[in-house]
C-alpha cells in the first residue's frame, strides 16, 4: 500500500506539470521565433537560453555580476508569489498583492528619501504598509463579506494614486528626471547592507534581500506545514464550514492571512527598492509585479520553494530577451514568451489533470489494511 | 438461455494495497430491478465505476446483449444506454430543470437551441412515469427528491435503458423514498433494467426482483428476493447475524445537562421564524430524540444550539452555565460534542489526512502543540488509538486523505473524534445517515454506551426506526416548533406520524 | 499505462533536447558565417550599436531618428549595426544592454536621451576602448550622475530646443493662430526649453502684430512620452474650447493631440523631426501638421560618425557640444530648425522664416534658455496641472 506510483504522487505531478508548462512555453517561443525569422530562430532561442552566461567567456566577474542582477531582480516577483500562495492556501485569492506591493514602494522610498531613515526601519515600514493594505481588504472580507478580489483590485488603484501623489512630490521625485532620487545620494544608510558583493562581481545591488527571500520562503513552508496557525489556515482554505464547526475564528484568520500576505508583498517592494536598483516613476498602471506573482505562484505549484524556482525561471527568460539579435528579432519577443508561459501557468492544473487521467478519477473508496481485515475474520470465528 | 442485458463476468479490479473487486460476476436481466447489496467498502461503487467506464478492470469482461463490449470512459457507457444517478447529484444549481436535463445533448438547429422539442419530450417522459417536475424551476429552488427525479429524467431523456441508482434513498425523506420506489417499479414495468445499489434491506425487500451481495470485494451470491428474508440478506452482507433492535437498559436520568428555553431562529428564506419557541431539557444518562420530517427546523435548531448559526432569542444552558452567546470554540471546550448532519460540509476537512481531522477541535491543546508547532508524533499516536478503538478503516492509515475514505469510515472517524473528546452532551444529528447495517449497529451501540456512561445525548434523526429504537424520550418537531413529546415504549409509528405531519399536537407547557 | 506516461515524458524531453541541439548547431553555423563576413569587411574595425531609452525604435521621434541615422550610416559604410533594448527603464538595465553590446563586439555605442547620463557615468571609464556618442545628455545630467568631466571616449550633444520652440511659436502666431496649446511629455529640461521657447516666440510675434491681448497659450505636461485616453480627453477639452493649434512635444504623445485635433479640424505642430509626413499618413490629413520644431539628431549622428571614421574623434573627445544655430543665411545646416521642404504656412513664408533665423543668429533676438520659471509674457498663458 506504500507503493503509490511515482507519477501519481501529487508533488511529482505538480512538478511535472510545471516543468511541462515551462517547456511548452519555450517551444512556443521557438515557434514564434521561427515565424518571425526562421533562419535565425535557433540562434535566437540559444541567445535567450544562454542569457547572461554569454559573459562566461569574457569574464567570470561580469558573469557573476549579471548573475547577481538576475537574483536581485527575481526577489520581488518571488516574494509576491509567496504572498499569493500563502493567502491561496487559506482559500483567499489575494489579487491585492499588486496594491500591497505599491504601498510597499511608497513606504520604502518615502522613509528612505524623504525621512532619511535607517534601512532596517525602512524595511519595517514597507512590511507595515503592505500589512495595513492587506488588513483593509481583510476587514472588508471578514466584516462585510466583500469579496477579497474586488476589495483588492480597488485598493490596487487607490494605492497607485496615493503612490503617484506621495512619491511625485519634491522630496522623493527628481523632477528633472521624472523618477525618484537615488537612495545612495540622499541617504546611503537607507540602502540594504550588501551580501557577497565581491563574489558577484562587485554588484552593488546584491544585498541581504537575497537571503531574506529564501528565509521567508522557508518560514512560510514551516508555518504552513508545521504550525497550528498553518493548520488553521489550510483548514479554512479547504473547508470554511468545517473550520467554523471546529471553532476556528474565521474572521480573525481571514484578516490575519491577508495581513501577512500583504506584509510579504510590502516587503517584496522594500527588498527591491531599498537596493537602489529600481526607481519609481509616475505610473498610470498598477505595477505588474503582483500579477506576475500570481503566475509564478501557480507555476511553482503553490509551493513556497517551487515559487522560488518558478520566479527565477520567469526572470531568466525575461532577461533573455535583450540578448536577441535585434536585426532579426524585436526584443519584445521575450515579453511575448513570458506572457505565453504565464498564460500557460493557468494550465498547470490542467496538465495535472491530464497526468492524472487514465488512473483513478476519485480515489477508492474502501481501502482496508490487512491487519484489520484479518482481525475482522477472527471476530467472525 | 436467460435474457441478460448486461453481464459483468469475473471482474477484478485492484488498487494499490487492496483488491476492490475480486472475480465478481453480475448479470442483469431485461426489465428487472436488481439490487446490489454490500457494506460500505464492499466494492459496490468500484464495480459500478467499472461498468460506467471510470475504471478499467485488470481482469474480466463486460457483455451487452450477449456481445462483449469495451467501456473505456463514461461516453462509451452512455452510448451503450447506461445511465447513472449518482449519490451526489450532478446538477447545475442556477439552471432550470429543463436546461439541466438537456445539458450535454442540447437539441439545436444551426447552432441555436431548439428547446421547444426538448421541452415536449421532457414533459412526455415526466407524465409517463409520473415524475411531476416543473421544467422551469431552478434546481436550487426544488427539493432533494425533485432533484433526484431530474437526474432520472436526464437518463430517460438520453434514452438510456440500463439505469444505475447509486444509493438513491440516502438523501430522501420517507415519503420521497416511497415515491421513488414507485417510480422504479414503473420504469421496470416499461422495460428498463435497473441496478439498485443500496444497503437498506427494507427497500430491497420492497422493490427488487433479485439481489447480488458483495462482501469485502468478493462476490457472495445472488438471491431471488421473493424467496429470502431480511435476516438472510443481512447475514450474507456482513457475514454474521445482525440484530436490528438495539439492546439497552432502561435509562437512569440524572442531573440536567442541557436546558433550552424559548429558542427562536430567524429564517433565511422567509420572514417567519424557522425555529419558534423551542424549550426542552436533556439529562445525563438519557437519549432525547428530536424527530420530524426533514426541513421542519431541525437543522436550524442544531445550528443555533452549536453556534453555527445565529440565535435570535432564547437561552441555552449547558451544565448550569449560560452558553447562549458563547463561541463555538467555547462550547467545544466546555462539554459539547457534535456529530454534524453533513459530514462533508461541516464534519471533515476532506483534503486533510485522517490524523489531521482527528484533532480538528483539539489542535491548539497542549497535548498536540508546543509553541505553535504541531506535535506530529502525538497527533499520529492519538489518531492511531482512535482508529483502532473505533475500527476506522482507511487505505494508508493515519495519513490517508479523508476524501479517499468510504462514507461509513468517514462517519466513524467523526463519531470516534466526538466521543473521545471531553464532553457532557453529545449532539448527534443523523449519525447513521448513508451507512450500512453493520456500521449503524456499531454506532447505535456506541451511543447507548455513551448514555450508560452518564452522558446526555441529543439525537436528531429522520429515520423512524432509529428514533424508535434508540431514544428514551421523543420530541417531535413540526414547522419549527416542538409539537409533542412521546415515550417510545408506549407510542406507535402511527401516532408519531400524526405528530410529524402536523395532524396532532400537544398543548405543551413550558419546559419542565 | 505508467510506461506510456513515462514514454511521453521522455518524448517531450527528447523533443526539447532536439530543439536545443538544433539551436546549438545552427548558432555555430551562423557564427562562422558572421566571422567570414567580418574578415571581408575590411572597411573599418568599428561596429556600431545603438541603445534605446525608455521608448522604442518605432516612436516616430527620438529613438527612431537616431536608429535610422545610425543604421543608414552603418549600411553606407558596410559595418555591422544592431540596436539594443534594455529590459526596463533603469540605469541597471541600460548598463546591461551596454555590456551586452560590448560583449557582442560593438565598439561604437550611440545613446539617445538624457536618461543615459547615469549609464555613461558608470561604464565609460571601464571601457576606454568603446566610443560612446550621447545625444541630449547635458553637463548637468552628467554631474548629477556623479561625473564632472567626460572621459576621452565619450562625447555628448545638447540642443538649444528653446530656439526651435521659439521659431514654432513665432511662426504659429504670425500665421494667424491666436489660441495656442503646448502639450509636453514629461517635464524634463529639453521639453521645458521647447515649451518656454514656444511661449516666448508666440509672445514676441503677438507683440509685433499688436494682438497680444488676443493670443492665448494653454500649457500642460502629459507626464509621459505617449498618448492615452486621459491626455486625449484633455486635448478634446482644449480643442472644443477654441484652441486652434497644439505643439505636441514629447515622443509619442502627439497621437493624443492628433486624435483630438482631427475631430474639430484643429492643427498640431510636431517636434524633434519633421513629423508632417508621419502624421499625414497616420491620420489621412495632409494639413493636420502645420510645421515641426526640429533638432538635427540625424545630422548630428551622421556627422559625428563620419568624423569618427575619418579619424577626427579628437574634435569631440570628452566634449559636450551645445548645438543650435550655426548659420544665419542657410537655415538647413542649423541644428534647430523648421522644415522648409514641407512648408505649408501661407502668411508666414519661408522668407519670413529666413529673416527670423538670421535675427536669432546675429543676436538681435535672444531667447532665454532657463527652465526655472515660465517666462513673463504679454500674451496670457494658462498653465494646467500635469495630466499624469
Amino acid at each position: 500500500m506504500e507503493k503509490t506510483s511515482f507519477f501519481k504522487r501529487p508533488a511529482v505531478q505538480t512538478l511535472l506539470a510545471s516543468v511541462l508548462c515551462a517547456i511548452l512555453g519555450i517551444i512556443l517561443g521557438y515557434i514564434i521565433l521561427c515565424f518571425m525569422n526562421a533562419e535565425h530562430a535557433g540562434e535566437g532561442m540559444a541567445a535567450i537560453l544562454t542569457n547572461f552566461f554569454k559573459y562566461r567567456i569574457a569574464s567570470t566577474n561580469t558573469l557573476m555580476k549579471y548573475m547577481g542582477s538576475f537574483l536581485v531582480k527575481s526577489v520581488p516577483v518571488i516574494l509576491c508569489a509567496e504572498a499569493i500562495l500563502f493567502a491561496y492556501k487559506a482559500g483567499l485569492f489575494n489579487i491585492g498583492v499588486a496594491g500591497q506591493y505599491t504601498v510597499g514602494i511608497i513606504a520604502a522610498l518615502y522613509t528612505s528619501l524623504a525621512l532619511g531613515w535607517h534601512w532596517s526601519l525602512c524595511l519595517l515600514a514597507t512590511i507595515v504598509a503592505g500589512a495595513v493594505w492587506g488588513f483593509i481588504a481583510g476587514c472588508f472580507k471578514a466584516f462585510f463579506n466583500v469579496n477579497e478580489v474586488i476589495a483588492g483590485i480597488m485598493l490596487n488603484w487607490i494605492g497607485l494614486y496615493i503612490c503617484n501623489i506621495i512619491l511625485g512630490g519634491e522630496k522623493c521625485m527628481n523632477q528633472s528626471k521624472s523618477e525618484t532620487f537615488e537612495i545612495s545620494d540622499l541617504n546611503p544608510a537607507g540602502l540594504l547592507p550588501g551580501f557577497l558583493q565581491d563574489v558577484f562581481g562587485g554588484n552593488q545591488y546584491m544585498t541581504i534581500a537575497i537571503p531574506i527571500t529564501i528565509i521567508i520562503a522557508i518560514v512560510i513552508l514551516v508555518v504552513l506545514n508545521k504550525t497550528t496557525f498553518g493548520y488553521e489556515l489550510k483548514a479554512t482554505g479547504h473547508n470554511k464550514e468545517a473550520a467554523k464547526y471546529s471553532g476556528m475564528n474565521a474572521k480573525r484568520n481571514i484578516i490575519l492571512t491577508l495581513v501577512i500576505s500583504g506584509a510579504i508583498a510590502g516587503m517584496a517592494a522594500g527588498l527591491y527598492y531599498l537596493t537602489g536598483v529600481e526607481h519609481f516613476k509616475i505610473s498610470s498602471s498598477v505595477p505588474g509585479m503582483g500579477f506576475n506573482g500570481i503566475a509564478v505562484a501557480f507555476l511553482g505549484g503553490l509551493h513556497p520553494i517551487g515559487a522560488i524556482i518558478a520566479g527565477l525561471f520567469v526572470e531568466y527568460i525575461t532577461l533573455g530577451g535583450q540578448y536577441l539579435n535585434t536585426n532579426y528579432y524585436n526584443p519584445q519577443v521575450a515579453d511575448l514568451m513570458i506572457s505565453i508561459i504565464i498564460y500557460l501557468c493557468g494550465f498547470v492544473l490542467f496538465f495535472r489533470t491530464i497526468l492524472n487521467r487514465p488512473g483513478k478519477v476519485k480515489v477508492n473508496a474502501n481501502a482496508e489494511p490487512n491487519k484489520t481485515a484479518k482481525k475482522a475474520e477472527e471476530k467472525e470465528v | 438461455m436467460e435474457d441478460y442485458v448486461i453481464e459483468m463476468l469475473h471482474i477484478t479490479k485492484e488498487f494499490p494495497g487492496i483488491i476492490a473487486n475480486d472475480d465478481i460476476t453480475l448479470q442483469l436481466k431485461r426489465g428487472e430491478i436488481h439490487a446490489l447489496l454490500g457494506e460500505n467498502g464492499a466494492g459496490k461503487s468500484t464495480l459500478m465505476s467499472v461498468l460506467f467506464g471510470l475504471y478499467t478492470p485488470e481482469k474480466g469482461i463486460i457483455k451487452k446483449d450477449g456481445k462483449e463490449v469495451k467501456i473505456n470512459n463514461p461516453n462509451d457507457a452512455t452510448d451503450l444506454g447506461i445511465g447513472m444517478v449518482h449519490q451526489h447529484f450532478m446538477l447545475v444549481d442556477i439552471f432550470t430543470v429543463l436546461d439541466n436535463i438537456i445539458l450535454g445533448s442540447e437539441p439545436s438547429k444551426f447552432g441555436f437551441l431548439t428547446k421547444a422539442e426538448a421541452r415536449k419530450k421532457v414533459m412526455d417522459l415526466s407524465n409517463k412515469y409520473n415524475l411531476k417536475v416543473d421544467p422551469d424551476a431552478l434546481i436550487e429552488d426544488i427539493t432533494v427528491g425533485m432533484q433526484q427525479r431530474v437526474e432520472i429524467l436526464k437518463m430517460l431523456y438520453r434514452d438510456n435503458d440500463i439505469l444505475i441508482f447509486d444509493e438513491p434513498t440516502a438523501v430522501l425523506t420517507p415519503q420521497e423514498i416511497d415515491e421513488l420506489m414507485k417510480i422504479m417499479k414503473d420504469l421496470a414495468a416499461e422495460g428498463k433494467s435497473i441496478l439498485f445499489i443500496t444497503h437498506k434491506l427494507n427497500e430491497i425487500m420492497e422493490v427488487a426482483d433479485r439481489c447480488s451481495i458483495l462482501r469485502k470485494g468478493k462476490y457472495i451470491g445472488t438471491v431471488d428476493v421473493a424467496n429470502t428474508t431480511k435476516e438472510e440478506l443481512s447475514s450474507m452482507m456482513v457475514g454474521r447475524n445482525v440484530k436490528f433492535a438495539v439492546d439497552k437498559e432502561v435509562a437512569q436520568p440524572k442531573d440536567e445537562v442541557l436546558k433550552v428555553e424559548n429558542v427562536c431562529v430567524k429564517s433565511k428564506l422567509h420572514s417567519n421564524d424557522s425555529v419558534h419557541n423551542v424549550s426542552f431539557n436533556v439529562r445525563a444518562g438519557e437519549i432525547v430524540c428530536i424527530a420530524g420530517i426533514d426541513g421542519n427546523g431541525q437543522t436550524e435548531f442544531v445550528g443555533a444550539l452549536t453556534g453555527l448559526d445565529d440565535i435570535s432569542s432564547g437561552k441555552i444552558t449547558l451544565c448550569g452555565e449560560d452558553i447562549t452567546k458563547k463561541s463555538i470554540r467555547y462550547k467545544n471546550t466546555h462539554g459539547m460534542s457534535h456529530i454534524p448532519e453533513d459530514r462533508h460540509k461541516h464534519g471533515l476537512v476532506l483534503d486533510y489526512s485522517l490524523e489531521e481531522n482527528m484533532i480538528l477541535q483539539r489542535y491548539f491543546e497542549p497535548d498536540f502543540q508546543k509553541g505553535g508547532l504541531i506535535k506530529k508524533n502525538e497527533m499520529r499516536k492519538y489518531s492511531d488509538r482512535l482508529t483502532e478503538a473505533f475500527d476506522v478503516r482507511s487505505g494508508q492509515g493515519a495519513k490517508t486523505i479523508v476524501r479517499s475514505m468510504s462514507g461509513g469510515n468517514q462517519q466513524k472517524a467523526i463519531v470516534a473524534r466526538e466521543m473521545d473528546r471531553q464532553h457532557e452532551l453529545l449532539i448527534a444529528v443523523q449519525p447513521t445517515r448513508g451507512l450500512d447495517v453493520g456500521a449503524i449497529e456499531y454506532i447505535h451501540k456506541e451511543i447507548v454506551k455513551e448514555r450508560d456512561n452518564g452522558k446526555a445525548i441529543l439525537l436528531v434523526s429522520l429515520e423512524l426506526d432509529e428514533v424508535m429504537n434508540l431514544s428514551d424520550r421523543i420530541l417531535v418537531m413540526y414547522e419549527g416548533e416542538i409539537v409533542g413529546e412521546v415515550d417510545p415504549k408506549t407510542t406507535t409509528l402511527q401516532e408519531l406520524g400524526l405528530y410529524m405531519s402536523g395532524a396532532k399536537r400537544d398543548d405543551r407547557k413550558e419546559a419542565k | 499505462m505508467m510506461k506510456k506516461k513515462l514514454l511521453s515524458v521522455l518524448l517531450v524531453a527528447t523533443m526539447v533536447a532536439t530543439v536545443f541541439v538544433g539551436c546549438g548547431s545552427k548558432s555555430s553555423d551562423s557564427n562562422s558565417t558572421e566571422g567570414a563576413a567580418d574578415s571581408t569587411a575590411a572597411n573599418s574595425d568599428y561596429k556600431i550599436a545603438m541603445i534605446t531609452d525608455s521608448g522604442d525604435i518605432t516612436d516616430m521621434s527620438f529613438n527612431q531618428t537616431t536608429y535610422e541615422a545610425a543604421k543608414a550610416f552603418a549600411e553606407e559604410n558596410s559595418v555591422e549595426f544592431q540596436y539594443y533594448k534594455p529590459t526596463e527603464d533603469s540605469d541597471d538595465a541600460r548598463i546591461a544592454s551596454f555590456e551586452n553590446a560590448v560583449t557582442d563586439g560593438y565598439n561604437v555605442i550611440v545613446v539617445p536621451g538624457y536618461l543615459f547620463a547615469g549609464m555613461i557615468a558608470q561604464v565609460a571609464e571601464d571601457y576606454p576602448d568603446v566610443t560612446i556618442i550621447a545625444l541630449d545628455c547635458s553637463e548637468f545630467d552628467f554631474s548629477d550622475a556623479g561625473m564632472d568631466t567626460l572621459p576621452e571616449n565619450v562625447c555628448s550633444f545638447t540642443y538649444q530646443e528653446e530656439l526651435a520652440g521659439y521659431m514654432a511659436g513665432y511662426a504659429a502666431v504670425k500665421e494667424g493662430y491666436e489660441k495656442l496649446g503646448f502639450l509636453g511629455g514629461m517635464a524634463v529640461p529639453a521639453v521645458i526649453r521647447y515649451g518656454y521657447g514656444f511661449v516666448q516666440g508666440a509672445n514676441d510675434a503677438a507683440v509685433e502684430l499688436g494682438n497680444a491681448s488676443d493670443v492665448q497659450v494653454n500649457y500642460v505636461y502629459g507626464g509621459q512620452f505617449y498618448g492615452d485616453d486621459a491626455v486625449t480627453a484633455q486635448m478634446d477639452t482644449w480643442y472644443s474650447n477654441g484652441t486652434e493649434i497644439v505643439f505636441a512635444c514629447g515622443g509619442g504623445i502627439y497621437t493624443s493631440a492628433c486624435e483630438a485635433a482631427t475631430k474639430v479640424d484643429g492643427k498640431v505642430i510636431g517636434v524633434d523631426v519633421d513629423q508632417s509626413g508621419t502624421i499625414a499618413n497616420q491620420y489621412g490629413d495632409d494639413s493636420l501638421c502645420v510645421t515641426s520644431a526640429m533638432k538635427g539628431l540625424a545630422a548630428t549622428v551622421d556627422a559625428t560618425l563620419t568624423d569618427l571614421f575619418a579619424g577626427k574623434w579628437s574634435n569631440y573627445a570628452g566634449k559636450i557640444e551645445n548645438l543650435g544655430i550655426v548659420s544665419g543665411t542657410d537655415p538647413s545646416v542649423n541644428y534647430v530648425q523648421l522644415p522648409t521642404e514641407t512648408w505649408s504656412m501661407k502668411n508666414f513664408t519661408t522668407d519670413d522664416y529666413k529673416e527670423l533665423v538670421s535675427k536669432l543668429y546675429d543676436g538681435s533676438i535672444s531667447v532665454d534658455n532657463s527652465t526655472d520659471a515660465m517666462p513673463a509674457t504679454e500674451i496670457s498663458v494658462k498653465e494646467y496641472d500635469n495630466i499624469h
Side-chain angles (χ1 to χ4, degrees), chain B residues 267-327:
Chain B
S267 169
K268 284 169 188 154
L269 300 173
H270 48 81
S271 56
N272 297 336
D273 284 348
S274 53
V275 175
H276 186 67
N277 249 1
V278 167
S279 301
F280 65 89
N281 66 357
V282 184
R283 287 163 296 177
E286 70 169 348
I287 300 174
V288 174
C289 176
I290 297 180
I293 297 168
D294 195 12
N296 273 288
Q298 299 98 315
T299 308
E300 290 81 357
F301 173 71
V302 172
L305 187 58
T306 54
L308 288 171
D309 290 315
D310 291 335
I311 182 168
S312 49
S313 66
K315 185 177 172 192
I316 300 166
T317 314
L318 181 66
C319 303
E321 186 185 7
D322 182 356
I323 57 157
T324 316
K325 297 248 183 300
K326 299 292 187 194
S327 69

Side-chain angles (χ1 to χ4, degrees), chain A residues 24-77:
Chain A
L24 205 59
I26 290 172
I27 292 175
L28 278 175
Y30 179 75
I31 292 171
I32 293 166
L33 290 183
C34 281
F35 271 112
M36 295 175 78
N37 187 331
E39 197 187 337
H40 297 276
E43 187 190 331
M45 201 67 230
I48 291 179
L49 294 176
T50 314
N51 216 311
F52 54 80
F53 285 101
K54 75 188 278 186
Y55 298 116
R56 70 191 181 279
I57 301 159
S59 110
T60 322
N61 211 32
T62 319
L63 171 65
M64 289 312 283
K65 186 174 125 190
Y66 282 97
M67 174 85 83
S69 283
F70 161 60
L71 295 177
V72 169
K73 285 177 179 166
S74 304
V75 163
V77 77

